[in-house]
Amino acid sequence: MKNARGAVIYVGKAAVLRNRLRSYFGSPAGLDRKTRRMVSELADYEYIVTDTEAEALILENTLIKRHRPYFNVRLKDDKTYPYLKVDLAEEFPRVYITRGVHQDGARYFGPFASAGSVRQSMDLVKKLFPYRSCTKKITGTDPRPCLEYYINRCVGPCAGLASREEYADVVQHVILFLEGNTELVTGQLRGKMAEAADQLEFERAAALRDQVAAIQKFEEERTVKVDSPRMTDLDVIALAMAANETWVEIFFVRRGKLIGRDHFFMDGPQDDEPGEVIAQFVQQFYATALEVPPTILVQHDPPDDDAPRRNGAVRIMRPQRGENRKLMQVVAENAAEGLAQHRVKWLNRSDAIQGALAELEEELSLPALPRRMECYDISHIQGSNLVGSMVVFDSGKPLSRDYRRFKIKAVEGVDDYASMKEMLTRRFKRLVSAWGVIPDLVIIDGGKGHLSAAQEVMLHLGLQHIPLCSLAKENEELFVPHTPESIVLPRDSQALYLMQRIRDEAHRFAISFHRNLRSKGSLKSPIDMVTGIGPKRKRMLLRRFGSLQGIREASIEDIATVPGLTRSLAVRLKQTI
């Protein structure tokens, strides 16, 4: 599909073209937001007929990479991803990084998300297995080996210290390890260790022992939480979505154990459903993957069956219960944590922060750069334990020493607006005397109603000169006083990124306070509700009667005999419990 300028804005596939196109031009009320926007820009389209659905999948992926259409969800920086290559055509094979896969008899492992992740895997393999990393021609006649031989990182074929067959065993262990078959590797190494000990080659046996221990240590670290009672091969995919990008986490489980993990970024419209993003990732990632397991677990159901095919059917399923469900939760937590850490790293870039602050100054018509920003949020569950939070960012970075929590005291029931008024009144009524600093921008987590409540407080306190705005989560819209229309920042806006980070931090801080209050409340005893009975008298009562039930069964006269308790206090206690 193309816009009026001829630019490709969307690439899709369909078994029945007529039905797919008709779905775009029905009633606008039946279309999602993304489709309405796409149709509004659509000026022309063309189509290509393929012989099979598999060909259509490959062609769709190729065209998305070539044209990078705005309305397609796609892998970010979807260049050719790196692989590990074991070149078996060499007499003494090496392990190295490549970006091309060829039918040349070599073994390839990947793809990896970045050069950094493939180098990390390569460094790990190099620490565990002593294959050569040099590029010299191996003759076996060198007068002495290099330093790697003496630190047990190479078996020294260059100096004739390892035959071709012995070196081939090392390479075979590398391949088995990358395939996830560590049990076979350690079993073979133990056999060689015993053989070396029998032949009194104790230094060689010790080196093999250390190698086995290193492999076992790595195996223990990577199988935490995901060891499965069944020897299954599967990939597990979960995601965490932000306004302008999505972090996709993938765990590779082989023979019931985690052999690796990676993450990818997806670009595309925010309006896409999680299932659509999952479907696009599966399609694009496995189009270049060398191995597809028989089962792919996904966090959200794809809208249709786009399962990749490799020598048999592949099942794509969303786990509902059991061990697979627990594993999915682990992967989802890693995705959320990865995206959060990515955003924190972004905040440490001074150029990005300055750009975000300058953009906010312009978009909100602020009198100066918003160096100090304060964000306020209200939290409750079914009206209980109403709390508020205030977080502070200075020059785009969290200033945790100025964070504050507010326990809402004067509001009955669920009333976010009244709760916001109480919190802001307590914060700003002693603005200078108690706090000593005036914010450059006050951010309210909420929509127009929350902004109006905050504006009322500022007017009442004579602080209308302090810039004020609210951020509504549903469509990520900004509202400012005296302007009925919302301000919608671009999805890739650095200013929006910063505002979301501040809003999310205020929400996290409020939720943590709310949970603390709930946990404290759940630990309270009815005895604590009686005025005049503190911790010491409570201990005396429990020591005398053994439990709360024992106190309930005791008479007023018996309770009054406890040291420190009077008859009137005993009567109040019996009435309370």
Side-chain angles (χ1 to χ4, degrees):
M1 294 186 173
K2 301 178 180 180
N3 61 15
R5 297 187 303 276
V8 177
I9 60 174
Y10 180 75
V11 175
K13 68 181 188 307
V16 183
L17 183 63
R18 173 186 174 88
N19 293 346
R20 176 59 60 88
L21 286 176
R22 286 179 62 183
S23 71
Y24 292 134
F25 297 103
S27 171
L31 302 177
D32 58 42
R33 183 178 174 185
K34 168 196 167 184
T35 305
R36 288 198 301 269
R37 289 174 57 201
M38 182 179 72
V39 171
S40 70
E41 297 185 25
L42 176 61
D44 191 15
Y45 73 91
E46 62 180 81
Y47 61 90
I48 302 170
V49 178
T50 64
D51 289 333
T52 66
E53 185 177 353
E55 287 182 13
L57 280 168
I58 295 170
L59 182 58
E60 180 186 26
N61 186 52
T62 301
L63 292 174
I64 288 173
K65 283 187 175 184
R66 180 187 303 167
H67 297 290
R68 300 184 61 80
Y70 176 77
F71 288 101
N72 279 102
V73 181
R74 58 195 177 275
L75 283 169
K76 193 170 187 177
D77 299 328
D78 50 357
K79 55 189 179 300
T80 302
Y81 285 95
Y83 298 81
L84 277 181
K85 178 179 180 179
V86 183
D87 191 353
L88 299 178
E90 295 180 351
E91 186 176 6
F92 293 90
R94 292 177 298 128
V95 181
Y96 54 89
I97 299 170
T98 182
R99 289 190 180 272
V101 177
H102 307 285
Q103 299 296 327
D104 54 3
R107 290 297 306 274
Y108 294 87
F109 300 90
F112 295 84
S114 64
S117 59
V118 73
R119 289 185 192 283
Q120 186 178 15
S121 297
M122 189 172 175
D123 290 344
L124 171 66
V125 173
K126 182 60 179 167
K127 288 177 182 177
L128 296 177
F129 301 99
Y131 63 86
R132 72 184 184 105
S133 56
C134 62
T135 57
K136 65 165 62 177
K137 181 177 177 61
I138 303 298
T139 62
T141 58
D142 288 9
R144 61 178 181 274
C146 67
L147 177 63
E148 286 203 335
Y149 171 80
Y150 296 102
I151 60 174
N152 296 323
R153 292 291 178 86
C154 182
V155 292
C158 59
L161 298 172
S163 66
R164 182 174 179 178
E165 291 74 20
E166 290 171 331
Y167 187 84
D169 285 343
V170 174
V171 173
Q172 184 60 30
H173 290 157
V174 170
I175 293 172
L176 289 172
F177 179 80
L178 290 172
E179 289 176 341
N181 200 345
T182 53
E183 291 88 351
L184 184 56
V185 174
T186 53
Q188 292 178 357
L189 290 175
R190 284 195 185 96
K192 291 185 176 183
M193 180 176 66
E195 181 183 335
D198 291 341
Q199 296 175 1
L200 305 183
E201 298 177 3
F202 298 118
E203 288 187 8
R204 180 166 169 260
L208 290 168
R209 177 203 63 199
D210 294 342
Q211 187 180 2
V212 170
I215 295 172
Q216 287 179 326
K217 181 181 178 182
F218 169 74
E219 188 73 4
E220 290 170 2
E221 289 175 352
R222 74 177 180 179
T223 55
V224 173
K225 282 190 165 184
V226 297
D227 204 359
S228 171
R230 293 173 295 176
M231 303 296 280
T232 53
D233 288 359
L234 51 88
D235 288 351
V236 191
I237 302 171
L239 53 80
M241 301 182 72
N244 57 340
E245 61 188 350
T246 298
W247 178 293
V248 180
E249 187 83 14
I250 179 168
F251 277 26
F252 307 102
V253 179
R254 299 295 180 267
R255 297 174 179 85
K257 295 181 180 180
L258 176 67
I259 69 162
R261 55 177 287 193
D262 216 332
H263 70 270
F264 297 81
F265 280 105
M266 299 290 286
D267 272 341
Q270 185 197 21
D271 304 322
D272 282 290
E273 294 297 325
E276 175 65 24
V277 179
I278 289 280
Q280 290 295 325
F281 173 79
V282 167
Q283 177 182 324
Q284 295 173 46
F285 176 76
Y286 289 105
T288 56
L290 300 172
E291 178 189 7
V292 182
T295 302
I296 300 173
L297 302 182
V298 293
Q299 186 184 16
H300 304 278
D301 287 321
D304 53 16
D305 184 14
D306 282 338
R309 306 279 172 176
R310 292 290 190 281
N311 299 322
V314 176
R315 265 185 24 175
I316 297 182
M317 56 182 292
R318 181 167 65 92
Q320 304 290 335
R321 61 183 69 86
E323 293 300 319
N324 285 342
R325 174 68 176 171
K326 293 179 182 177
L327 177 55
M328 179 58 69
Q329 290 173 344
V330 172
V331 181
E333 288 170 5
N334 277 271
E337 181 65 23
L339 182 60
Q341 290 300 316
H342 170 70
R343 303 184 84 173
V344 168
K345 289 179 182 177
W346 177 88
L347 285 173
N348 289 326
R349 289 175 44 204
S350 59
D351 57 333
I353 292 172
Q354 289 302 312
L357 296 178
E359 187 178 353
L360 278 177
E361 179 186 12
E362 180 179 351
E363 294 289 346
L364 302 181
S365 301
L366 302 177
L369 278 181
R371 298 288 182 190
R372 180 183 173 96
M373 293 185 283
E374 297 179 3
C375 185
Y376 296 86
D377 184 33
I378 296 292
S379 175
H380 63 81
I381 295 181
Q382 297 178 348
S384 66
N385 292 326
L386 273 167
V387 298
S389 71
M390 161 190 156
V391 300
V392 179
F393 275 52
D394 188 278
S395 296
K397 297 183 179 180
L399 192 64
S400 57
R401 70 169 184 266
D402 282 0
Y403 285 16
R404 294 294 184 273
R405 295 182 170 114
F406 298 84
K407 187 172 182 180
I408 305 303
K409 302 174 181 178
V411 177
E412 296 291 336
V414 181
D415 190 336
D416 280 4
Y417 300 156
S419 301
M420 184 66 71
K421 287 181 181 179
E422 179 183 331
M423 175 169 56
L424 293 176
T425 300
R426 288 162 58 185
R427 159 65 176 99
F428 287 102
K429 69 180 179 182
R430 295 182 298 158
L431 176 61
V432 178
S433 61
W435 299 80
V437 62
I438 299 175
D440 298 311
L441 178 63
V442 172
I443 304 165
I444 306 298
D445 182 8
K448 284 185 176 180
H450 293 84
L451 178 66
S452 298
Q455 188 179 4
E456 186 177 328
V457 172
M458 295 304 198
L459 288 171
H460 178 71
L461 297 175
L463 299 174
Q464 60 269 30
H465 60 283
I466 297 178
L468 185 67
C469 74
S470 68
L471 177 60
K473 189 169 187 177
E474 183 176 358
N475 295 314
E476 304 293 0
E477 297 173 294
L478 284 167
F479 295 95
V480 295
H482 314 301
T483 303
E485 295 82 15
S486 64
I487 299 172
V488 180
L489 299 176
R491 295 304 182 191
D492 58 353
S493 161
Q494 293 180 338
L496 179 61
Y497 210 167
L498 179 58
M499 293 287 281
Q500 290 169 332
R501 171 76 175 107
I502 298 172
R503 187 265 315 281
D504 293 345
E505 176 68 358
H507 185 64
R508 180 201 65 79
F509 195 54
I511 289 292
S512 65
F513 183 37
H514 186 267
R515 286 174 179 162
N516 289 340
L517 290 180
R518 287 174 60 201
S519 62
K520 288 179 181 178
S522 64
L523 296 175
K524 281 187 177 180
S525 164
I527 303 174
D528 298 320
M529 307 301 292
V530 181
T531 304
I533 298 182
K536 185 175 180 180
R537 288 176 175 172
K538 180 181 176 181
R539 284 196 300 271
M540 297 289 287
L541 284 164
L542 292 173
R543 192 175 299 156
R544 169 71 68 84
F545 301 106
S547 65
L548 182 62
Q549 186 60 34
I551 299 173
R552 288 194 177 108
E553 294 173 355
S555 65
I556 292 175
E557 287 72 19
D558 288 340
I559 295 174
T561 61
V562 175
L565 267 74
T566 62
R567 180 178 173 80
S568 62
L569 200 54
V571 171
R572 286 209 306 273
L573 176 61
K574 290 288 285 185
Q575 290 173 344
T576 302
I577 65 173

